[in-house]
Amino acid sequence: EVQLVESGGGLVQAGGSLRLSCAASGFTFDDYAIGWFRQAPGKEREAVSCISSSDGTTYYADSVKGRFTISSDNAKNTVYLQMNSLKPEDTAVYYCTADVDWDKYGSIWYTAYEYEYWGQGTQVTVSS
């Protein structure tokens, strides 16, 4: 059974940093991708970032490019999202998600329906 467990959320002032972690278990797939999505109150869930397991290719939403960095530690089966220069508009519940039939040339990383498994989410609150 695939499980994704997020951690690292919290309250931080604008300009500060947080590192989210996504611990994955139950994976027996060759090619997969781990993504981060977020959802603010009253807004739709939006893609933040994604990393491919096969070659480490990374993807970012324009709103976080240059501020967020996604990385993976395969030995620990953990994906990280380093968030720097946080803004109040980054406030949201952040979800870790997995696409277990990832196709580098066919999968659309920024669409939620691409992903089969989701974590429970972790709250990130950025105060102004």
Side-chain angles (χ1 to χ4, degrees):
E1 179 185 3
V2 173
Q3 288 189 328
L4 303 171
V5 180
E6 304 99 332
S7 61
L11 173 64
V12 65
Q13 288 187 334
S17 299
L18 283 174
R19 188 177 79 159
L20 304 184
S21 299
C22 173
S25 62
F27 273 73
T28 59
F29 312 101
D30 292 331
D31 290 316
Y32 60 90
I34 299 293
W36 287 96
F37 280 67
R38 65 187 182 187
Q39 188 165 20
K43 294 187 177 181
E44 293 187 354
R45 190 169 296 190
E46 64 172 347
V48 175
S49 184
C50 175
I51 185 167
S52 164
S53 69
S54 58
D55 60 5
T57 301
T58 58
Y59 307 83
Y60 296 96
D62 288 343
S63 59
V64 306
K65 277 182 183 176
R67 300 188 299 122
F68 291 11
T69 303
I70 192 170
S71 62
S72 64
D73 183 336
N74 292 336
K76 295 183 178 180
N77 290 329
T78 300
V79 170
Y80 304 98
L81 185 68
Q82 178 67 44
M83 306 186 297
N84 298 330
S85 302
L86 282 162
K87 305 175 181 179
E89 52 262 44
D90 294 318
T91 295
V93 177
Y94 283 69
Y95 297 91
C96 173
T97 184
D99 176 356
V100 299
D101 60 355
W102 175 256
D103 175 359
K104 179 178 181 179
Y105 301 103
S107 296
I108 304 174
W109 77 271
Y110 50 83
T111 56
Y113 66 74
E114 186 70 48
Y115 300 86
E116 294 85 11
Y117 300 95
W118 293 79
Q120 81 288 352
T122 185
Q123 177 71 46
V124 171
T125 303
V126 184
S127 63
S128 57

